[in-house]
mmCIF file of all heavy atoms in Angstrom:
data_model
loop_
_atom_site.group_PDB
_atom_site.id
_atom_site.type_symbol
_atom_site.label_atom_id
_atom_site.label_comp_id
_atom_site.label_asym_id
_atom_site.label_seq_id
_atom_site.Cartn_x
_atom_site.Cartn_y
_atom_site.Cartn_z
ATOM 1 N N VAL A 1 0.847 -1.131 0.014
ATOM 2 C CA VAL A 1 -0.050 0.065 -0.018
ATOM 3 C C VAL A 1 0.894 1.293 -0.081
ATOM 4 O O VAL A 1 1.689 1.448 0.830
ATOM 5 C CB VAL A 1 -0.878 0.071 1.301
ATOM 6 C CG1 VAL A 1 -1.803 1.299 1.250
ATOM 7 C CG2 VAL A 1 -1.842 -1.210 1.221
ATOM 8 N N PRO A 2 0.816 2.088 -0.963
ATOM 9 C CA PRO A 2 1.645 3.273 -1.096
ATOM 10 C C PRO A 2 1.370 4.260 0.022
ATOM 11 O O PRO A 2 0.314 4.195 0.587
ATOM 12 C CB PRO A 2 1.334 3.902 -2.439
ATOM 13 C CG PRO A 2 -0.154 3.437 -2.749
ATOM 14 C CD PRO A 2 -0.149 2.013 -2.149
ATOM 15 N N PRO A 3 2.425 5.000 0.423
ATOM 16 C CA PRO A 3 2.202 6.012 1.584
ATOM 17 C C PRO A 3 1.206 7.016 1.178
ATOM 18 O O PRO A 3 0.948 7.329 -0.031
ATOM 19 C CB PRO A 3 3.631 6.534 1.745
ATOM 20 C CG PRO A 3 4.232 6.439 0.392
ATOM 21 C CD PRO A 3 3.772 5.147 -0.220
ATOM 22 N N PRO A 4 0.694 7.830 2.161
ATOM 23 C CA PRO A 4 -0.298 8.906 1.765
ATOM 24 C C PRO A 4 0.451 9.981 0.927
ATOM 25 O O PRO A 4 1.539 10.180 1.150
ATOM 26 C CB PRO A 4 -0.527 9.425 3.268
ATOM 27 C CG PRO A 4 -0.268 8.273 4.143
ATOM 28 C CD PRO A 4 0.835 7.614 3.695
ATOM 29 N N THR A 5 -0.469 10.483 0.113
ATOM 30 C CA THR A 5 0.082 11.546 -0.794
ATOM 31 C C THR A 5 0.549 12.782 -0.007
ATOM 32 O O THR A 5 -0.198 13.219 0.887
ATOM 33 C CB THR A 5 -1.027 12.002 -1.762
ATOM 34 O OG1 THR A 5 -1.414 10.825 -2.518
ATOM 35 C CG2 THR A 5 -0.627 13.142 -2.665
ATOM 36 N N GLU A 6 1.699 13.328 -0.232
ATOM 37 C CA GLU A 6 2.105 14.520 0.377
ATOM 38 C C GLU A 6 1.512 15.734 -0.317
ATOM 39 O O GLU A 6 1.618 15.859 -1.497
ATOM 40 C CB GLU A 6 3.580 14.601 0.387
ATOM 41 C CG GLU A 6 4.305 13.523 1.367
ATOM 42 C CD GLU A 6 3.930 13.845 2.728
ATOM 43 O OE1 GLU A 6 3.559 14.890 3.172
ATOM 44 O OE2 GLU A 6 3.898 12.861 3.424
ATOM 45 N N ALA A 7 0.834 16.558 0.428
ATOM 46 C CA ALA A 7 0.191 17.755 -0.176
ATOM 47 C C ALA A 7 1.220 18.883 -0.187
ATOM 48 O O ALA A 7 0.988 19.856 -0.854
ATOM 49 C CB ALA A 7 -1.037 18.176 0.585
ATOM 50 N N VAL A 8 2.277 18.648 0.486
ATOM 51 C CA VAL A 8 3.380 19.656 0.413
ATOM 52 C C VAL A 8 4.596 19.105 -0.387
ATOM 53 O O VAL A 8 5.156 18.050 -0.039
ATOM 54 C CB VAL A 8 3.847 20.012 1.864
ATOM 55 C CG1 VAL A 8 4.950 21.113 1.817
ATOM 56 C CG2 VAL A 8 2.624 20.578 2.637
ATOM 57 N N ARG A 9 5.056 19.849 -1.380
ATOM 58 C CA ARG A 9 6.152 19.374 -2.104
ATOM 59 C C ARG A 9 7.434 19.493 -1.405
ATOM 60 O O ARG A 9 7.575 20.127 -0.294
ATOM 61 C CB ARG A 9 6.232 20.159 -3.501
ATOM 62 C CG ARG A 9 4.977 20.001 -4.299
ATOM 63 C CD ARG A 9 5.102 21.141 -5.451
ATOM 64 N NE ARG A 9 3.875 21.094 -6.288
ATOM 65 C CZ ARG A 9 3.738 20.668 -7.378
ATOM 66 N NH1 ARG A 9 4.811 20.220 -8.049
ATOM 67 N NH2 ARG A 9 2.515 20.800 -8.086
ATOM 68 N N ALA A 10 8.575 18.962 -2.001
ATOM 69 C CA ALA A 10 9.991 19.119 -1.392
ATOM 70 C C ALA A 10 10.209 20.584 -1.202
ATOM 71 O O ALA A 10 11.057 20.923 -0.281
ATOM 72 C CB ALA A 10 10.873 18.333 -2.146
ATOM 73 N N THR A 11 9.761 21.424 -2.043
ATOM 74 C CA THR A 11 10.131 22.757 -1.958
ATOM 75 C C THR A 11 9.421 23.606 -0.834
ATOM 76 O O THR A 11 9.650 24.704 -0.632
ATOM 77 C CB THR A 11 9.816 23.442 -3.385
ATOM 78 O OG1 THR A 11 8.380 23.405 -3.637
ATOM 79 C CG2 THR A 11 10.535 22.917 -4.470
ATOM 80 N N GLY A 12 8.512 22.869 -0.296
ATOM 81 C CA GLY A 12 7.611 23.598 0.769
ATOM 82 C C GLY A 12 6.365 24.224 0.212
ATOM 83 O O GLY A 12 5.517 24.528 1.009
ATOM 84 N N ALA A 13 6.127 24.124 -1.081
ATOM 85 C CA ALA A 13 4.936 24.618 -1.747
ATOM 86 C C ALA A 13 3.710 23.586 -1.497
ATOM 87 O O ALA A 13 3.989 22.404 -1.692
ATOM 88 C CB ALA A 13 5.064 24.966 -3.142
ATOM 89 N N ILE A 14 2.646 24.117 -1.166
ATOM 90 C CA ILE A 14 1.499 23.177 -0.939
ATOM 91 C C ILE A 14 0.829 22.865 -2.342
ATOM 92 O O ILE A 14 0.928 23.646 -3.292
ATOM 93 C CB ILE A 14 0.442 23.804 -0.078
ATOM 94 C CG1 ILE A 14 -0.584 22.830 0.519
ATOM 95 C CG2 ILE A 14 -0.321 24.983 -0.700
ATOM 96 C CD1 ILE A 14 -1.405 23.335 1.640
ATOM 97 N N ASP A 15 0.307 21.613 -2.368
ATOM 98 C CA ASP A 15 -0.314 21.184 -3.599
ATOM 99 C C ASP A 15 -1.606 20.426 -3.227
ATOM 100 O O ASP A 15 -1.610 19.238 -2.905
ATOM 101 C CB ASP A 15 0.580 20.201 -4.395
ATOM 102 C CG ASP A 15 -0.081 19.669 -5.774
ATOM 103 O OD1 ASP A 15 -1.255 20.010 -5.925
ATOM 104 O OD2 ASP A 15 0.669 19.205 -6.567
ATOM 105 N N CYS A 16 -2.715 21.216 -3.160
ATOM 106 C CA CYS A 16 -3.929 20.656 -2.668
ATOM 107 C C CYS A 16 -4.531 19.620 -3.602
ATOM 108 O O CYS A 16 -5.242 18.703 -3.155
ATOM 109 C CB CYS A 16 -4.982 21.806 -2.504
ATOM 110 S SG CYS A 16 -4.504 23.077 -1.216
ATOM 111 N N LEU A 17 -4.164 19.575 -4.829
ATOM 112 C CA LEU A 17 -4.761 18.502 -5.810
ATOM 113 C C LEU A 17 -4.071 17.165 -5.595
ATOM 114 O O LEU A 17 -4.697 16.211 -5.971
ATOM 115 C CB LEU A 17 -4.657 18.950 -7.273
ATOM 116 C CG LEU A 17 -5.550 20.092 -7.671
ATOM 117 C CD1 LEU A 17 -5.242 20.485 -9.088
ATOM 118 C CD2 LEU A 17 -7.058 19.620 -7.546
ATOM 119 N N ALA A 18 -2.857 17.229 -5.030
ATOM 120 C CA ALA A 18 -2.157 16.056 -4.659
ATOM 121 C C ALA A 18 -2.437 15.433 -3.349
ATOM 122 O O ALA A 18 -2.000 14.492 -2.946
ATOM 123 C CB ALA A 18 -0.616 16.226 -4.877
ATOM 124 N N CYS A 19 -3.195 16.130 -2.582
ATOM 125 C CA CYS A 19 -3.557 15.688 -1.214
ATOM 126 C C CYS A 19 -4.612 14.453 -1.242
ATOM 127 O O CYS A 19 -5.617 14.487 -1.896
ATOM 128 C CB CYS A 19 -4.237 16.790 -0.352
ATOM 129 S SG CYS A 19 -4.628 16.420 1.236
ATOM 130 N N ALA A 20 -4.104 13.364 -0.582
ATOM 131 C CA ALA A 20 -4.970 12.229 -0.571
ATOM 132 C C ALA A 20 -6.028 12.297 0.512
ATOM 133 O O ALA A 20 -7.115 11.665 0.472
ATOM 134 C CB ALA A 20 -4.197 11.030 -0.355
ATOM 135 N N ASP A 21 -5.795 13.056 1.509
ATOM 136 C CA ASP A 21 -6.673 13.083 2.660
ATOM 137 C C ASP A 21 -7.800 14.139 2.482
ATOM 138 O O ASP A 21 -8.977 13.772 2.744
ATOM 139 C CB ASP A 21 -5.819 13.406 4.014
ATOM 140 C CG ASP A 21 -6.730 13.386 5.232
ATOM 141 O OD1 ASP A 21 -7.540 12.352 5.259
ATOM 142 O OD2 ASP A 21 -6.603 14.263 6.113
ATOM 143 N N ARG A 22 -7.458 15.335 2.171
ATOM 144 C CA ARG A 22 -8.457 16.447 1.956
ATOM 145 C C ARG A 22 -9.295 16.614 3.140
ATOM 146 O O ARG A 22 -10.485 16.601 3.061
ATOM 147 C CB ARG A 22 -9.225 16.222 0.573
ATOM 148 C CG ARG A 22 -8.284 16.170 -0.507
ATOM 149 C CD ARG A 22 -9.170 16.019 -1.908
ATOM 150 N NE ARG A 22 -8.131 16.037 -3.016
ATOM 151 C CZ ARG A 22 -8.533 15.778 -4.229
ATOM 152 N NH1 ARG A 22 -9.775 15.600 -4.545
ATOM 153 N NH2 ARG A 22 -7.603 15.799 -5.239
ATOM 154 N N ALA A 23 -8.662 16.830 4.294
ATOM 155 C CA ALA A 23 -9.451 17.062 5.495
ATOM 156 C C ALA A 23 -10.382 18.216 5.495
ATOM 157 O O ALA A 23 -11.440 18.282 6.055
ATOM 158 C CB ALA A 23 -8.466 17.115 6.709
ATOM 159 N N CYS A 24 -9.827 19.254 4.739
ATOM 160 C CA CYS A 24 -10.667 20.553 4.630
ATOM 161 C C CYS A 24 -12.040 20.265 4.015
ATOM 162 O O CYS A 24 -12.936 20.962 4.348
ATOM 163 C CB CYS A 24 -9.887 21.593 3.740
ATOM 164 S SG CYS A 24 -9.599 21.022 2.034
ATOM 165 N N LEU A 25 -12.274 19.370 3.101
ATOM 166 C CA LEU A 25 -13.554 19.017 2.600
ATOM 167 C C LEU A 25 -14.408 18.270 3.600
ATOM 168 O O LEU A 25 -15.588 18.116 3.328
ATOM 169 C CB LEU A 25 -13.435 18.135 1.324
ATOM 170 C CG LEU A 25 -12.551 18.882 0.191
ATOM 171 C CD1 LEU A 25 -12.531 18.001 -1.036
ATOM 172 C CD2 LEU A 25 -13.043 20.287 -0.036
ATOM 173 N N ARG A 26 -13.895 17.758 4.694
ATOM 174 C CA ARG A 26 -14.688 17.094 5.700
ATOM 175 C C ARG A 26 -14.953 18.201 6.849
ATOM 176 O O ARG A 26 -15.504 17.770 7.904
ATOM 177 C CB ARG A 26 -13.951 15.880 6.266
ATOM 178 C CG ARG A 26 -13.621 14.876 5.328
ATOM 179 C CD ARG A 26 -13.261 13.611 5.968
ATOM 180 N NE ARG A 26 -12.087 13.728 6.885
ATOM 181 C CZ ARG A 26 -10.774 13.604 6.447
ATOM 182 N NH1 ARG A 26 -10.618 13.294 5.218
ATOM 183 N NH2 ARG A 26 -9.778 13.791 7.342
ATOM 184 N N GLY A 27 -14.479 19.449 6.710
ATOM 185 C CA GLY A 27 -14.685 20.377 7.691
ATOM 186 C C GLY A 27 -13.715 20.414 8.779
ATOM 187 O O GLY A 27 -13.820 21.000 9.858
ATOM 188 N N GLU A 28 -12.549 19.755 8.446
ATOM 189 C CA GLU A 28 -11.369 19.647 9.458
ATOM 190 C C GLU A 28 -10.299 20.607 9.011
ATOM 191 O O GLU A 28 -10.139 20.900 7.858
ATOM 192 C CB GLU A 28 -10.974 18.240 9.557
ATOM 193 C CG GLU A 28 -12.005 17.275 9.983
ATOM 194 C CD GLU A 28 -11.579 15.825 9.852
ATOM 195 O OE1 GLU A 28 -10.295 15.608 9.713
ATOM 196 O OE2 GLU A 28 -12.317 14.895 10.138
ATOM 197 N N ALA A 29 -9.548 21.007 10.041
ATOM 198 C CA ALA A 29 -8.348 21.863 9.760
ATOM 199 C C ALA A 29 -7.343 21.196 8.914
ATOM 200 O O ALA A 29 -7.088 19.885 9.116
ATOM 201 C CB ALA A 29 -7.775 22.296 11.067
ATOM 202 N N CYS A 30 -6.761 21.836 7.956
ATOM 203 C CA CYS A 30 -5.676 21.268 7.144
ATOM 204 C C CYS A 30 -4.382 21.088 7.905
ATOM 205 O O CYS A 30 -3.848 21.992 8.455
ATOM 206 C CB CYS A 30 -5.404 22.224 5.921
ATOM 207 S SG CYS A 30 -3.983 21.636 4.892
ATOM 208 N N PRO A 31 -3.886 19.795 7.951
ATOM 209 C CA PRO A 31 -2.713 19.578 8.762
ATOM 210 C C PRO A 31 -1.386 20.042 8.037
ATOM 211 O O PRO A 31 -0.342 20.023 8.602
ATOM 212 C CB PRO A 31 -2.649 18.018 8.792
ATOM 213 C CG PRO A 31 -3.328 17.671 7.561
ATOM 214 C CD PRO A 31 -4.399 18.606 7.290
ATOM 215 N N HIS A 32 -1.557 20.579 6.717
ATOM 216 C CA HIS A 32 -0.301 20.879 6.033
ATOM 217 C C HIS A 32 -0.010 22.350 6.058
ATOM 218 O O HIS A 32 1.107 22.729 5.563
ATOM 219 C CB HIS A 32 -0.533 20.389 4.474
ATOM 220 C CG HIS A 32 -0.782 18.971 4.329
ATOM 221 N ND1 HIS A 32 0.079 17.948 4.659
ATOM 222 C CD2 HIS A 32 -1.996 18.332 3.874
ATOM 223 C CE1 HIS A 32 -0.434 16.731 4.444
ATOM 224 N NE2 HIS A 32 -1.633 17.016 3.998
ATOM 225 N N VAL A 33 -0.951 23.091 6.505
ATOM 226 C CA VAL A 33 -0.729 24.636 6.542
ATOM 227 C C VAL A 33 -0.065 24.983 7.882
ATOM 228 O O VAL A 33 -0.758 24.717 8.885
ATOM 229 C CB VAL A 33 -2.016 25.309 6.269
ATOM 230 C CG1 VAL A 33 -1.712 26.784 6.402
ATOM 231 C CG2 VAL A 33 -2.636 24.991 4.909
#
């Protein structure tokens, strides 16, 4: 099973489309910001 998608690239820039969890769409705080 591959690891969870990282929403933050190696450069530190956030990539919301690459996020596998998308907690924000469940009304939860984003853990990557």
Side-chain angles (χ1 to χ4, degrees):
V1 179
T5 299
E6 289 297 333
V8 180
R9 301 168 185 250
T11 60
I14 195 167
D15 185 345
C16 293
L17 288 178
C19 181
D21 186 42
R22 297 183 180 174
C24 61
L25 299 185
R26 301 195 302 270
E28 303 172 6
C30 174
H32 305 292
V33 177

